């Protein structure tokens, strides 16, 4: 049986779920990668502060569990490797955290989805990828990535 995914439109739910993932990432995943990290102490005062300090460097964690199955159809991006990045994060990082690192913790919990009568597939995949915000900013500013809005995002 496939796991039931909570609506991506419910941001409040995802913020709470993300806090649990951050602790799990710091305690279990980073040590396996040879890194040390803690939850950013600034998050106690500012919920929008970057999530982590990894080897003493500010970082944010992006957890993605469901592929963007229509990424190729809509944007020409292989759904196997398509990840999301919020526009609000882009603006905040640009203004306040231009040297930030991003960790993408990917675990495809489902690999097939039927959309509009068509079956979409990706291969099973799990791992952690690191990107600098400056590299992501370069891709955004040179239009090699595309914007995608939630249809009914809550909050």
């Amino acid at each position: 049986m496939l796991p039931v995914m909570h609506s991506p439109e419910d941001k409040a739910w995802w913020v709470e779920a993300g806090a649990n993932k951050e602790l799990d990432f710091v305690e279990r995943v980073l040590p396996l990668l040879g890194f040390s990290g803690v939850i950013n102490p600034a998050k106690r005062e500012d919920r929008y502060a970057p999530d982590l300090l990894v080897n003493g460097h500010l970082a944010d964690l992006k957890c993605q569990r469901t592929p963007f199955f229509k990424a190729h159809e809509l944007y020409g991006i292989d759904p196997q490797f398509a990840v999301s990045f919020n526009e609000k994060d882009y603006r905040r990082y640009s203004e306040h955290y231009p040297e930030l690192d991003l960790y993408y913790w990917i675990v495809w919990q489902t690999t097939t989805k039927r959309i509009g009568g068509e079956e979409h597939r990706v291969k099973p995949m799990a791992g952690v990828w690191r990107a600098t915000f400056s590299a992501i900013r370069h891709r955004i500013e040179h239009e090699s990535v595309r914007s995608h809005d939630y249809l009914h995002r809550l909050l």
Side-chain angles (χ1 to χ4, degrees), residues 11 43 46-51 60 92-93 97:
K11 184 174 182 180
K43 285 193 72 143
D46 177 7
R47 70 181 185 141
Y48 298 110
D51 300 324
D60 227 16
R92 186 171 57 256
Y93 300 162
Y97 310 106

Side-chain angles (χ1 to χ4, degrees), residues 18-80:
N20 296 330
K21 296 261 189 264
E22 292 162 10
L23 189 57
D24 194 30
F25 187 77
V26 164
E27 291 178 349
R28 285 188 329 103
V29 178
L30 282 176
L32 292 172
L33 299 172
F35 295 118
S36 62
V38 296
I39 303 298
N40 182 3
K43 285 193 72 143
R44 284 180 248 157
E45 305 294 323
D46 177 7
R47 70 181 185 141
Y48 298 110
D51 300 324
L52 311 171
L53 289 171
V54 177
N55 290 351
H57 190 77
L58 276 176
D60 227 16
L61 177 64
K62 306 295 183 188
C63 296
Q64 198 161 329
R65 301 296 182 249
T66 304
F68 186 8
F69 286 103
K70 292 185 74 172
H72 187 267
E73 179 181 323
L74 295 172
Y75 305 112
I77 298 170
D78 185 346
Q80 182 72 43

Side-chain angles (χ1 to χ4, degrees), residues 84-130:
S84 63
F85 184 75
N86 293 322
E87 185 177 337
K88 287 180 183 179
D89 288 342
Y90 172 79
R91 289 193 304 264
R92 186 171 57 256
Y93 300 162
S94 292
E95 186 175 338
H96 300 290
Y97 310 106
E99 301 302 316
L100 187 77
D101 286 335
L102 297 160
Y103 288 85
Y104 278 87
W105 184 15
I106 308 299
V107 180
W108 292 155
Q109 293 179 334
T110 184
T111 57
T112 61
K113 186 169 186 175
R114 185 167 290 282
I115 304 170
E118 185 177 335
E119 188 167 290
H120 299 265
R121 292 184 172 276
V122 297
K123 296 175 184 171
M125 187 170 81
V128 175
W129 288 261
R130 180 189 154 270

